[in-house]
């Protein structure tokens, strides 16, 4: 049987912020410390057309053969039963035959990392949809489960109350036929995809990353190393992808005015972002589901950012848990968190509490994705179109309990006043991500934000919206007071420059007063080159973000890929600065570029 994905597979990422999900599970568990729970008698069958699509295979292909050794340390020594009041009853083992006996009938069992679970009651609540589980019942589903769920998803405190851990799989008594029956079966397409990915990964391991000389090389290589699902998810954008393309081509409308003979041997691309040192003025934009590209997912980004001294912003929909990510953090490494506010404010409050507790350094409130955009690459893979009326805040009347909280998702009624509420929950700097007009930039400032991210979500939301760079130009024209005073001057040549051509830049405007508080402006979308970075900075951005570029880098080379990407960007930025005549990031000014309207 091929792997089956329910039609909600990819959209689920927009429904339930990972943290809200985990915390809602925890709430449901309060007062219950049981791991083994009595199996249910009734179960629900959900509708939904399953669609066979290739998936992410190179993980754990040999899982079943190796699991008796590898899982031993990951499972508790003693487990408890609900029907004996939580008393220790010892490790229960479940034979493969027992699991296979549930291939038909009321109860739905699966094996994950060598443990057997009864998920009968849970499947209708499952954020990835019931079909994926039903169509793989009585199988070792680890290869599907692992890349999509945080490592601690099945820990006692995160296990939904209606998932019953039955015990450890006993393979010692199983015949080869039984083992084979438990193993997931892959279609020819899936086998080929797996082989293609494995081959490319081996090739990269042997050759190293030396052949990757720019960020687009990462994109090309990642395409060969991603499953069809992964590639569609990462690369997709809204409708005709016009905004995604414009995000990059808009930078071509800005040209440099390089100055010469400026002694640039000691150029340095380091800067500060919200007061934190960063080796380059680039940060990792929050992007969901890094594990679709590489087994270690977001942890690669954290490690790569840590060793190279840049800042990562973690997505609310990260495929690693916040704890996993923070465990990979090096001492005093700054980390930002991207927040979607759940319509249930107590759940949102729990998320913020965790962010405070883990001592993250800033919160980026994403405001451009109350509903998911129409991403047709994803839709085509699903094979059926469902009107995108549901999206992030879909209410599922037919689900209950745990699921209700899980599916509630992002609040479409979020309002500027909510910034005040977030402020009551945290002292961390708060930036608004997804600003696409000068009016909203002004409102963000008036409502007390510490900064804004001019972003259209990498073109994944509303198509034919303006680009981050364009919004920056709008701010320059209509609300220049939001920029730091030295960035309010005009672009291109000016009389002041001609009067003193020996100066690198004209004197900064004398009467320009700074804002009464710090207000940072970051730009993301379509940044692939050092030239793009430097152009945004010349026009007044404090820093820029890169989303897909880093997703692809970690897909290709894990944390080493991220390090390599930072190296590429750093050397390109330094090259541009030197050829422009600037030695420091603070030297960059609007007069160093011309802008074609
Ligand atoms: C047993 C307990 C399980 C729990 C608590 C659980 C939890 C979750 C959660 C919270 C998500 C949403 C991810 C997000 O929004 O970012 C999800 C998605 C998903 N789950 Fe599970 N899951 C479980 C079991 C399974 C099993 C057994 C399978 C496979 C047979 C599976 C396959 C998937 C898939 C394919 C997705 C969709 C990911 C995507 O959008 O690409 N899950 N699950
Ligand atoms: C696969 C993918 C997932 C994303 N997930 C999120 C997310 O969870 N939260 C968010 O605020 N932005 C998300 N974004 C948008 C990025 O933060 C960023 O705005 C965008 O990727 C920048 O454009 P670029 O990919 O051209 O660099 C995502 C982008 C991609 C490509």
């Amino acid at each position: 049987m091929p792997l089956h994905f329910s039609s909600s597979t990819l959209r689920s990422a927009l429904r339930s912020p990972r943290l809200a999900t985990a915390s809602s599970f925890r709430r449901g568990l309060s007062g219950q410390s049981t791991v083994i729970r009595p199996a249910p008698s009734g179960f629900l069958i959900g509708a939904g057309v399953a669609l066979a699509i290739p998936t992410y295979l190179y993980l754990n292909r040999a899982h079943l053969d190796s699991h008796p050794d590898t899982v031993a340390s990951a499972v508790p020594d003693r487990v408890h039963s609900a029907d004996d009041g939580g008393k220790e009853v010892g490790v229960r083992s479940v034979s493969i035959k027992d699991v296979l006996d549930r291939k038909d009938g009321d109860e739905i069992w699966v094996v994950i990392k060598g443990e057997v679970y009864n998920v009968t009651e849970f499947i209708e609540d499952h954020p990835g949809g019931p079909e994926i589980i039903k169509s793989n019942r009585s199988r070792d589903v680890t290869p599907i489960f692992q890349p999509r769920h945080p490592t601690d998803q099945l820990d006692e405190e995160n296990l939904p109350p209606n998932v019953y851990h039955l015990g450890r799989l006993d393979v010692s008594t199983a015949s080869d036929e039984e083992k084979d029956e438990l193993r997931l079966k892959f279609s020819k397409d899936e086998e080929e995809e797996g082989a293609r990915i494995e081959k490319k990964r081996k090739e990269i391991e042997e050759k190293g990353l030396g052949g990757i000389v720019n960020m687009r090389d990462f994109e090309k290589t990642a395409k060969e190393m991603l499953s069809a699902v992964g590639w569609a998810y990462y690369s997709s954008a809204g409708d005709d992808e016009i905004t995604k393309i414009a995000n990059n081509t808009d930078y071509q409308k800005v040209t440099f005015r390089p100055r010469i003979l400026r002694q640039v041997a000691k150029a340095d691309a380091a800067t500060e972002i919200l007061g934190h040192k960063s080796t380059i003025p680039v940060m990792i934009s929050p992007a969901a589901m890094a594990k679709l590209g590489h087994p270690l997912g977001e942890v690669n980004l954290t490690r790569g950012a840590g060793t190279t001294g840049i800042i990562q912003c973690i997505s609310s929909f990260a495929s690693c848990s916040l704890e996993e990510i923070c465990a990979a953090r090096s001492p005093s490494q700054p980390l930002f968190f991207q927040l979607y506010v759940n319509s249930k404010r107590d759940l949102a409050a729990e998320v913020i509490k965790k962010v405070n507790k883990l001592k993250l350094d800033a919160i980026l409130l994403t405001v451009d994705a109350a509903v998911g955009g129409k991403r047709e690459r994803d839709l085509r893979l699903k094979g059926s179109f469902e009107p995108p009326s549901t999206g992030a805040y879909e209410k599922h009347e037919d689900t209950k309990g745990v699921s209700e909280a899980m599916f509630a998702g992002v609040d479409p009624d979020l309002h500027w006043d909510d910034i005040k509420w977030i402020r009551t929950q945290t002292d961390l700097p708060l930036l608004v991500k997804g600003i696409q007009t000068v009016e909203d930039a002004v409102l963000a400032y008036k409502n007390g934000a510490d900064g804004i991210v001019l972003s259209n979500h990498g073109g994944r939301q509303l198509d034919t919206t303006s680009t981050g760079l364009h919004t920056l130009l709008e701010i320059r024209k209509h609300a220049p007071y939001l920029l730091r005073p030295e960035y309010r001057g005009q672009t291109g040549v000016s009389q002041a420059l001609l009067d003193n051509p020996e100066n690198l830049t004209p004197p900064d405007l004398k009467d320009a007063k700074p804002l009464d508080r710090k207000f940072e402006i970051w730009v993301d979308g379509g940044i692939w080159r050092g030239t793009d970075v430097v152009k945004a900075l010349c026009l007044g951005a404090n820093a820029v973000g890169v989303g897909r570029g880093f997703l692809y880098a970690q897909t290709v080379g894990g944390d080493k890929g991220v390090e390599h990407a930072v190296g590429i960007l750093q050397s390109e930025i330094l090259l541009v600065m030197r050829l422009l005549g600037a030695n420091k990031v603070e030297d960059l000014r609007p007069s160093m570029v011309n802008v074609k309207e």
Side-chain angles (χ1 to χ4, degrees), residues 360-375:
L360 300 194
D361 297 284
I363 293 181
L364 273 60
L365 172 68
T366 295
V367 291
D368 57 12
V371 293
K374 187 181 175 220
R375 302 173 190 167

Side-chain angles (χ1 to χ4, degrees), residues 6 245 341 360 373 384 396 458 483:
S6 76
I245 295 164
V341 175
L360 300 194
S384 65
H396 286 249
L483 299 162

